[in-house]
C-alpha cells in the first residue's frame, strides 16, 4: 500500500472525529486497521490503531514490531508486553483524550471490560463512545488502485471457474472440486481465498451456504460453485451454476429466471439509488414468476478488503442505505427448492451515477443448448 493513500485515509477519518464528538478513535477491526495504516496483519488480536487529530499510533506487541515498523511508516509503533490494557491509559493521558470512540462491532466485550477498567484504574476520566461503520463507510468508495487489484482477483477467479467447469464429471465429490479450486487459485497467484469455496451439488444446492462434503456429482443435477480469490487483501466473489449432461425443462426454467433477474438488476442499478429499490429490481422478477419465497437472501453485498461489507443490497429496512458511486457490489439472485436443489448466479458490479458496470467478463461458462 502506498504512503499517500494511507495519509489520505488518515485525513478522511480525522475529519470524522468532530462529527462524532470524539478526541480519538481506537480501531480494532483488522480490515479497518489495514485500510487506515497499511498493516497487513490479518488477526484481530495483532494490534490496534489509536488516531487523534495530531497523532497516529499502532499499538502492538514485540512479535509484530519489526513487521509494523517496516509496513506502517505513517504510524508510530508502540509496544506493549502482553495486553494493550498495560499502556492504553498512558497513551490517552499523553494525548489528552477525554472522549474515545471505539468500534462496537469489532472490540470484544472482554477487551472492552479490560481496557475500560485499566483506564479507570489509571485515574483517567474517559468517555467511551461506541461507533459503527465509521471506517467501513470510507471503505465503500474504491479508488482506482483498489479497483485494479479487485479486477485482478476477479480475473483469476473467472479463469479458475472456467477450468473447473470444463472438468466437472460424475463421481467427483464436492470436496474434491473445492480442493481443486483452492489449489488453482493459489497456484494462479492468490495470496489466499476470499472465503472457503462453496460447491453444492444436487439437493445440497438448495442450501445457499453449503459446506462441500462427500456428495458425488451426478448427471442432470444442479451444481452451484461460489468462490473468490484474495489478492493484496482484496476479495473477489463469484457464483455460477452448472449441470452435467442434458438439462431438463425445470432446470432451464429456473436458470433462465435467475439469469433474467440478474440482468434486470445489472441494467437498473446505479449510484444514488436506495438499497431496498436496488434489491427489489431482481426480487420482483423472481416473485412475479411465483418463486419469491425461494429467494430467501439479499440480492448482494459490498466487496473489498472484506468479502461481505457495506453497503448491503438487501430487502432489510435495518440495512437500508443510499448506494454510493464507486462502491463494488455483488448481484447474486438465487432460487432454492428443498429436495431438488438451487440456482444462483453472482457477478460483481461497480456503481456509477449513470449505471452499473459489470466487472465480470461476459459468459457463464455453461450453455445447455
Ligand atoms: Zn459468493
Ligand atoms: Zn456474495
Amino acid at each position: 500500500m502506498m504512503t499517500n493513500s494511507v495519509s489520505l485515509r488518515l485525513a478522511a477519518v480525522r475529519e470524522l472525529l468532530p462529527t462524532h464528538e470524539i478526541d480519538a478513535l481506537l480501531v480494532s477491526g483488522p480490515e479497518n486497521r489495514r485500510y487506515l495504516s497499511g498493516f497487513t496483519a490479518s488477526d484481530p488480536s495483532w494490534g490496534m490503531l489509536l488516531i487523534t487529530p495530531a497523532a497516529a499510533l499502532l499499538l502492538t506487541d514485540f512479535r509484530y514490531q519489526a513487521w509494523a515498523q517496516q509496513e506502517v511508516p505513517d504510524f508510530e509503533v508502540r509496544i506493549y508486553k502482553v495486553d494493550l490494557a498495560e499502556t492504553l491509559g498512558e497513551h490517552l493521558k499523553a494525548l489528552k483524550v477525554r472522549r474515545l470512540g471505539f468500534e462496537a462491532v469489532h472490540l470484544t466485550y472482554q477487551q472492552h471490560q479490560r481496557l475500560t477498567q485499566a483506564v479507570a484504574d489509571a485515574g483517567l476520566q474517559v468517555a467511551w463512545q461506541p461507533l459503527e461503520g465509521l471506517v467501513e463507510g470510507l471503505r465503500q468508495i474504491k479508488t482506482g488502485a483498489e479497483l485494479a487489484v479487485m479486477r485482478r482477483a476477479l480475473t483469476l477467479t473467472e479463469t479458475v471457474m472456467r477450468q473447473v467447469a470444463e472438468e466437472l464429471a460424475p463421481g467427483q465429490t464436492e470436496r474434491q472440486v473445492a480442493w481443486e479450486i483452492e489449489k488453482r487459485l493459489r497456484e494462479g497467484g492468490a495470496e489466499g481465498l476470499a472465503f472457503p469455496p462453496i460447491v453444492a451439488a444436487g439437493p445440497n444446492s438448495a442450501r445457499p451456504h453449503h459446506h462441500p462434503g462427500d456428495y458425488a456429482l451426478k448427471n442432470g443435477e444442479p451444481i452451484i460453485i461460489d468462490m473468490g480469490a484474495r489478492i493484496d487483501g482484496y476479495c473477489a466473489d463469484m457464483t455460477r451454476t452448472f449441470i452435467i449432461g442434458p438439462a431438463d425443462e425445470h432446470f432451464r426454467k429456473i436458470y433462465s429466471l435467475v439469469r433474467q433477474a440478474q440482468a434486470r438488476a445489472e441494467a437498473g442499478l446505479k449510484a444514488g439509488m436506495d438499497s431496498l429499490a436496488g434489491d427489489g429490481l431482481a426480487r420482483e422478477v423472481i416473485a412475479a414468476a411465483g418463486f419469491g419465497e425461494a429467494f430467501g437472501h439479499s440480492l448482494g453485498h459490498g466487496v473489498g478488503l472484506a468479502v461481505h461489507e457495506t453497503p448491503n443490497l438487501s430487502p432489510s429496512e435495518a440495512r437500508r442505505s443510499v448506494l454510493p458511486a464507486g462502491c463494488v457490489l455483488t448481484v447474486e439472485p438465487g432460487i432454492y427448492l428443498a429436495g431438488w436443489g438451487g440456482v444462483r448466479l453472482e457477478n460483481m458490479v461497480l456503481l456509477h451515477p449513470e449505471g452499473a458496470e459489470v466487472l465480470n467478463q461476459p459468459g457463464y461458462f455453461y450453455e445447455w443448448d
Side-chain angles (χ1 to χ4, degrees), residues 195 226 237-239 332 346:
F195 56 94
D226 186 351
D237 188 7
M238 171 184 187
T239 306
E332 49 178 313
E346 178 179 29

Side-chain angles (χ1 to χ4, degrees), residues 316-364:
S316 155
E317 186 67 46
R319 294 174 158 195
R320 188 172 193 169
S321 70
V322 174
L323 303 171
C327 74
V328 175
L329 292 171
T330 65
V331 178
E332 49 178 313
I335 291 178
Y336 310 92
L337 303 169
W340 176 74
V343 171
R344 178 167 70 258
L345 299 171
E346 178 179 29
N347 281 342
M348 289 167 67
V349 302
L350 168 61
L351 290 199
H352 301 287
E354 60 279 9
E357 174 187 350
V358 179
L359 299 179
N360 295 67
Q361 295 300 310
Y364 283 75

Side-chain angles (χ1 to χ4, degrees), residues 222-356:
I223 304 157
I224 291 180
I225 298 182
D226 186 351
M227 56 131 151
R230 184 187 290 271
I231 294 183
D232 291 347
Y234 286 85
C235 300
D237 188 7
M238 171 184 187
T239 306
R240 291 292 181 263
T241 302
F242 305 100
I243 201 161
I244 310 169
D248 63 16
E249 277 305 313
H250 186 59
F251 180 84
R252 292 174 191 219
K253 178 182 158 189
I254 301 293
Y255 189 100
S256 302
L257 188 55
V258 173
R259 179 68 193 101
Q260 205 188 320
Q262 190 190 39
R264 180 76 61 85
E266 288 171 352
L269 279 168
K270 58 183 178 183
M273 190 175 236
D274 182 289
S275 59
L276 265 63
D279 174 88
L281 291 168
R283 199 167 300 281
E284 283 159 15
V285 174
I286 291 174
F291 290 96
E293 293 292 306
F295 176 25
H297 58 69
S298 300
L299 176 59
H301 52 86
V303 193
L305 285 170
V307 69
H308 294 123
E309 58 182 49
T310 55
N312 293 290
L313 201 48
S314 159
S316 155
E317 186 67 46
R319 294 174 158 195
R320 188 172 193 169
S321 70
V322 174
L323 303 171
C327 74
V328 175
L329 292 171
T330 65
V331 178
E332 49 178 313
I335 291 178
Y336 310 92
L337 303 169
W340 176 74
V343 171
R344 178 167 70 258
L345 299 171
E346 178 179 29
N347 281 342
M348 289 167 67
V349 302
L350 168 61
L351 290 199
H352 301 287
E354 60 279 9

Side-chain angles (χ1 to χ4, degrees), residues 76-87:
E76 290 174 55
V77 178
R78 299 294 180 82
I79 302 303
Y80 50 80
K81 280 207 176 72
V82 179
D83 191 303
L84 177 57
E86 297 158 24
T87 59

Side-chain angles (χ1 to χ4, degrees), residues 128-194:
W128 289 70
Q129 181 66 38
L131 297 169
E132 276 183 46
L134 205 74
V135 185
E136 285 84 347
L138 300 175
R139 279 169 43 203
Q140 290 184 1
I141 320 292
K142 270 60 181 182
T143 61
E146 289 178 295
L147 288 168
V149 176
M150 292 183 71
R151 285 178 198 273
R152 278 170 53 210
L154 181 58
T155 299
L156 172 59
T157 303
E158 292 188 301
T159 302
V160 171
M161 183 74 89
R162 186 184 295 273
Q163 290 171 353
V164 168
E166 280 168 4
E167 293 168 16
L168 289 175
Q172 294 171 342
T173 67
E174 294 169 339
R175 199 175 280 145
Q176 284 170 336
V177 177
W179 174 238
E180 203 54 48
I181 290 168
E182 188 161 347
K183 222 165 41 177
R184 289 181 190 212
L185 287 174
R186 290 281 198 158
E187 287 168 357
E191 70 189 17
L193 306 177

